[in-house]
Amino acid sequence: MANIEAIRWVDGNLVLIDQTKIPLSLEYYTCRDYGDVIHAIKEMIVRGAPAIGAAAAYGVATAARDLKCGNEGEYLEKLEKACQEIYDSRPTAVNLMWAVDRQRKAIMSVAARSGGSPTLESDMERELLLEANLILKEDIETNMTMAGHGQEVVGSGYTILTHCNTGALATGGYGTALGVVRKAHESGKNVFVFADETRPRLQGGKLTAWELLQEGIPSKLIVDSTAATLIRDGRIDVVLVGADRITRNGDTANKIGTFMLSSLAKTYNVPFYVVAPTTTIDFDMECGSMIEIEERDKSEMTHMNGIRVLPDEIECFNPAFDVTPNENISGIITEKGILRPPFSESIAAIRR
Amino acid sequence: MANIEAIRWVDGNLVLIDQTKIPLSLEYYTCRDYGDVIHAIKEMIVRGAPAIGAAAAYGVATAARDLKCGNEGEYLEKLEKACQEIYDSRPTAVNLMWAVDRQRKAIMSVAARSGGSPTLESDMERELLLEANLILKEDIETNMTMAGHGQEVVGSGYTILTHCNTGALATGGYGTALGVVRKAHESGKNVFVFADETRPRLQGGKLTAWELLQEGIPSKLIVDSTAATLIRDGRIDVVLVGADRITRNGDTANKIGTFMLSSLAKTYNVPFYVVAPTTTIDFDMECGSMIEIEERDKSEMTHMNGIRVLPDEIECFNPAFDVTPNENISGIITEKGILRPPFSESIAAIRR
């Protein structure tokens, strides 16, 4: 079990580890209202698809905590407005949409049960918090289960390549791809990790390398392009990455650079696994070309920790994600087991 | 002709544009003695293989300017010691070795002519400066000739992908890969450039994007891993990179990340050209596996512009270069024309 608790409900408020401050400083960000939760998601104070999902669920609970109205129709309308604002805070993370939709179901269920009753608002507040707690707890359990399934692809003494952060900071608590690494380490497999620093925001350097250090897992940080030489030279036994969204055919949107790794891994016959809970699968999407890729502000490239590195006149193209085609993926490690190609079949099977 | 003069001999001293200060500030670094030249090479105040070569030649001239001795044997010994120190300042750049060896030949020639004469030291000072001037002038002419040959692979309206800096800052004055781009732009070809930022030192962001801006060439900066998606999606017409060292079979050492691009370009059938003067070819080396890859300090990854971004406990693997195998290279654009595969034959042919 990881000791890092990135998402907690403390004294009636959502409290997040401020991931923009890690690793030089460990600070917490308290969300006083649901607007703070949206701010935290937008500004990447909380990041990683499952962590965003859990935070979003607490965001809805926070809205319900604060919303006092009296008029039932107006109350539900305002709650739905909060849901939609949270839902819209990042375009790519399917867990965000999934978590908000789950809270919407809870809202409907409470409204059906307590509608017309004076306890509606307090029932809602209580139930939405319970649901958020459940989403967080399920996420951690899911991660542990995934990590168990993932052991099949990690041998003793393996060198593992990771991208971005997929650990305790990115999730409810244990990690997706990094959860598999954590479990392998805990099992005494003597794994070694090369962690991509993951430009532009350096989540690999700031978060993954920091987590690996906390856990005592031997590792070295590399610039993203060094991965190519390591893969070619047979120095990587397996590549493990997370996912922001997986479509019905297995195409996977993840942090920019993931596709690069997948293509090189395929060329040089290195196993390439996506580690993600089944909530990351968007059953409404046929294939990766349908995924909208968020383009982020160029200040991510022109600045570092708020300090200007490049002049503003320089134009940038800064997509946050790329899409890895299913043919580059050896398997998708989920809490329901490892999905294998052809993914349109294995994904359809778990849906049933 | 580029307006950027990175290397000049001014009032008896070598004066360099301080490339660690670009693009936020344009400052000059004056080399007061040859130790300053070594410092400039080691600290990347001057960088890019041809620019390092020219600076090294001026470094030998600077040593000769300062060395007053009287005893001929001791004098030549001290001059050779300076040559060797300059020669050893960076391990990978073959132009550095080539330029120092050319000054060594000049030293032997002056020693043979003026040996035993009281004018030996002043003759040496004059001749080594003339030789350095010649090396710089030849480099600029070579770049212009290469840029001309390179037009064959750049069509009108092309989108070009570049890596690192290979422009006026990296060379005597016009550029290798970026010289081809510059010439295409000057010829009215309406080219567009995606420039890799090139971690860890961001030469693409700090130098190439700055040069492109100075020249008014339309461009966008990308993080290195974004190149993969652009290459796959058919948005790149040609990849143009420089070289630090080319072996007899065409294997090419260049800035870390070059191999990554070459592998992706090959997978997705995008032409990949190395642009380098024939002085970059190391005829003593059979193939790329013989090239020693310089591993640089991790502060390049943990710091940005001198400011700490990552804690010191994080271990890093920071190779400065990678090796692109000849089979990934469509052609090598030199001042003697475009070399085509099989490179062991085309390279042997230009040697003759």
Side-chain angles (χ1 to χ4, degrees):
Chain A
M1 187 63 212
N3 297 316
I4 302 159
E5 285 188 278
I7 299 171
R8 282 185 303 171
W9 186 262
V10 184
D11 299 334
N13 286 304
L14 176 63
V15 177
L16 303 165
I17 290 183
D18 185 344
Q19 300 194 34
T20 64
K21 299 283 167 49
I22 295 282
L24 295 180
S25 159
L26 180 56
E27 296 178 27
Y28 292 90
Y29 178 82
T30 301
C31 301
R32 300 285 169 201
D33 55 32
Y34 83 88
D36 282 353
V37 178
I38 291 172
H39 174 79
I41 293 171
K42 281 197 173 156
E43 298 305 317
M44 293 190 172
I45 289 165
V46 59
R47 40 147 301 288
I52 290 172
Y58 281 110
V60 177
T62 302
R65 181 199 64 193
D66 296 340
L67 198 55
K68 304 293 173 242
C69 182
N71 176 318
E72 186 172 328
E74 198 185 316
Y75 171 79
L76 291 174
E77 203 175 286
K78 283 187 177 164
L79 198 53
E80 169 51 28
K81 180 172 165 286
C83 287
Q84 191 60 41
E85 282 177 49
I86 296 168
Y87 189 98
D88 291 337
S89 57
R90 285 283 300 274
T92 310
V94 70
N95 301 57
L96 167 62
M97 288 78 168
W98 170 87
V100 172
D101 282 341
R102 195 161 144 178
Q103 289 290 46
R104 279 174 166 148
K105 273 182 204 152
I107 290 168
M108 284 194 289
S109 154
V110 174
R113 212 170 52 229
S114 308
S117 144
T119 64
L120 172 66
E121 296 185 4
S122 59
D123 290 352
M124 194 69 83
E125 179 179 347
R126 189 186 61 246
E127 291 299 320
L128 294 187
L129 179 57
L130 287 174
E131 191 69 11
N133 287 339
L134 192 62
I135 285 172
L136 180 62
K137 181 167 167 281
E138 284 174 4
D139 184 61
I140 297 173
E141 285 170 1
T142 298
N143 287 346
M144 310 275 286
T145 309
M146 273 193 295
H149 292 309
Q151 295 314 301
E152 187 184 322
V153 309
V154 179
S156 188
Y158 264 31
T159 296
I160 302 163
L161 178 65
T162 67
H163 193 67
C164 199
N165 177 257
T166 56
L169 291 168
T171 60
Y174 195 77
T176 56
L178 208 57
V180 175
V181 173
R182 188 169 256 129
K183 177 91 177 171
H185 175 72
E186 288 169 357
S187 321
K189 280 185 177 170
N190 287 320
V191 293
F192 184 91
V193 177
F194 279 111
D196 279 353
E197 62 171 10
T198 317
R199 282 284 290 162
R201 294 182 73 95
L202 297 181
Q203 293 97 332
K206 293 184 173 181
L207 307 177
T208 300
W210 182 80
E211 280 198 42
L212 291 165
L213 213 57
Q214 306 301 310
E215 304 280 336
I217 302 172
S219 65
K220 284 193 177 178
L221 188 70
I222 55 174
V223 301
D224 303 324
S225 71
T226 295
T229 297
L230 295 175
I231 288 171
R232 178 192 61 188
D233 292 348
R235 295 176 67 181
I236 303 297
D237 296 301
V238 64
V239 183
L240 297 177
V241 300
D244 277 74
R245 190 189 289 249
I246 301 170
T247 61
R248 281 212 306 269
N249 70 345
D251 291 351
T252 295
N254 192 44
K255 183 58 55 195
I256 188 76
T258 305
F259 162 66
M260 170 196 79
L261 297 179
S262 77
S263 179
L264 290 156
K266 192 180 188 198
T267 300
Y268 293 100
N269 296 308
V270 174
F272 180 93
Y273 286 90
V274 171
V275 189
T278 52
T279 48
T280 314
I281 302 170
D282 185 343
F283 292 104
D284 292 335
M285 279 203 179
E286 180 58 36
C287 65
S289 61
M290 297 170 72
I291 300 174
E292 181 199 350
I293 299 295
E294 177 185 6
E295 204 182 320
R296 293 186 59 86
D297 196 81
K298 75 173 178 183
S299 62
E300 292 188 345
M301 295 175 64
T302 57
H303 290 66
M304 176 69 73
N305 289 12
I307 293 157
R308 178 176 291 286
V309 176
L310 300 178
D312 219 29
E313 296 75 39
I314 291 177
E315 303 233 19
C316 298
F317 173 56
N318 183 28
F321 303 95
D322 58 25
V323 176
T324 297
N326 59 56
E327 65 262 28
N328 288 7
I329 300 171
S330 310
I332 301 171
I333 300 170
T334 75
E335 78 282 9
K336 299 189 178 173
I338 303 182
L339 310 184
R340 298 284 183 182
F343 293 110
S344 43
E345 289 175 22
S346 51
I347 287 175
I350 59 149
R351 192 182 191 181
R352 284 191 293 268
Chain B
M1 188 62 209
N3 296 317
I4 302 159
E5 285 189 278
I7 299 171
R8 282 185 303 170
W9 186 261
V10 183
D11 299 332
N13 287 303
L14 175 62
V15 177
L16 304 165
I17 289 182
D18 185 345
Q19 299 193 34
T20 66
K21 300 282 167 51
I22 295 280
L24 295 180
S25 158
L26 179 57
E27 296 177 28
Y28 292 89
Y29 178 82
T30 301
C31 301
R32 300 284 169 201
D33 55 32
Y34 82 88
D36 281 353
V37 178
I38 291 172
H39 174 79
I41 293 171
K42 281 196 171 157
E43 299 304 317
M44 295 189 170
I45 289 166
V46 59
R47 38 147 305 286
I52 289 172
Y58 281 110
V60 176
T62 302
R65 180 200 65 194
D66 296 340
L67 198 56
K68 304 291 172 245
C69 180
N71 177 318
E72 184 170 330
E74 198 185 313
Y75 171 80
L76 290 173
E77 204 174 287
K78 284 188 175 165
L79 198 52
E80 169 50 29
K81 180 171 164 287
C83 285
Q84 191 60 41
E85 283 177 48
I86 295 167
Y87 190 97
D88 292 337
S89 57
R90 285 285 299 274
T92 309
V94 70
N95 300 58
L96 166 64
M97 289 78 168
W98 170 87
V100 173
D101 283 342
R102 194 161 146 180
Q103 289 290 45
R104 278 174 167 147
K105 272 183 205 152
I107 290 169
M108 285 194 290
S109 155
V110 174
R113 211 170 53 228
S114 309
S117 143
T119 64
L120 171 65
E121 297 185 3
S122 59
D123 289 353
M124 194 68 83
E125 180 180 345
R126 190 185 61 247
E127 291 298 321
L128 295 187
L129 180 57
L130 287 174
E131 190 69 10
N133 287 339
L134 193 60
I135 286 173
L136 181 62
K137 180 167 167 283
E138 285 174 3
D139 184 61
I140 297 173
E141 286 170 359
T142 299
N143 287 345
M144 310 276 285
T145 309
M146 273 193 293
H149 291 309
Q151 295 315 300
E152 187 184 322
V153 309
V154 179
S156 187
Y158 264 30
T159 296
I160 301 164
L161 179 65
T162 68
H163 194 67
C164 199
N165 178 257
T166 57
L169 291 167
T171 61
Y174 195 76
T176 56
L178 208 56
V180 175
V181 173
R182 189 169 255 126
K183 177 91 175 170
H185 175 73
E186 289 169 356
S187 319
K189 280 187 178 169
N190 286 320
V191 294
F192 184 92
V193 178
F194 279 110
D196 278 353
E197 62 170 9
T198 318
R199 283 285 289 162
R201 294 182 71 97
L202 296 181
Q203 293 97 331
K206 292 183 173 181
L207 308 177
T208 301
W210 182 81
E211 280 198 41
L212 291 166
L213 214 53
Q214 306 302 309
E215 303 281 337
I217 302 173
S219 66
K220 283 193 177 179
L221 187 70
I222 55 173
V223 301
D224 303 325
S225 71
T226 295
T229 297
L230 295 175
I231 288 171
R232 178 193 61 189
D233 292 348
R235 295 177 65 181
I236 303 297
D237 296 301
V238 64
V239 184
L240 298 177
V241 301
D244 277 75
R245 190 188 288 251
I246 299 170
T247 62
R248 281 213 304 270
N249 69 346
D251 291 349
T252 296
N254 192 44
K255 183 58 57 196
I256 189 75
T258 305
F259 162 66
M260 170 196 79
L261 297 180
S262 77
S263 180
L264 289 157
K266 193 181 187 200
T267 300
Y268 293 99
N269 297 309
V270 175
F272 179 94
Y273 286 89
V274 172
V275 188
T278 53
T279 49
T280 314
I281 300 170
D282 185 343
F283 292 104
D284 292 336
M285 281 205 177
E286 180 57 37
C287 65
S289 61
M290 299 170 72
I291 300 174
E292 181 198 350
I293 298 296
E294 176 185 8
E295 205 182 319
R296 293 186 59 87
D297 195 81
K298 74 174 176 182
S299 62
E300 291 188 344
M301 294 174 64
T302 57
H303 291 65
M304 176 68 73
N305 288 13
I307 293 157
R308 178 176 292 285
V309 176
L310 300 178
D312 219 29
E313 295 76 37
I314 291 176
E315 304 233 20
C316 298
F317 173 57
N318 183 28
F321 303 96
D322 57 26
V323 176
T324 297
N326 58 56
E327 66 262 28
N328 288 6
I329 300 171
S330 309
I332 301 172
I333 300 169
T334 75
E335 78 282 10
K336 298 186 179 173
I338 302 182
L339 310 183
R340 297 282 181 182
F343 293 111
S344 44
E345 290 175 23
S346 51
I347 287 175
I350 60 148
R351 190 181 193 181
R352 283 191 294 268

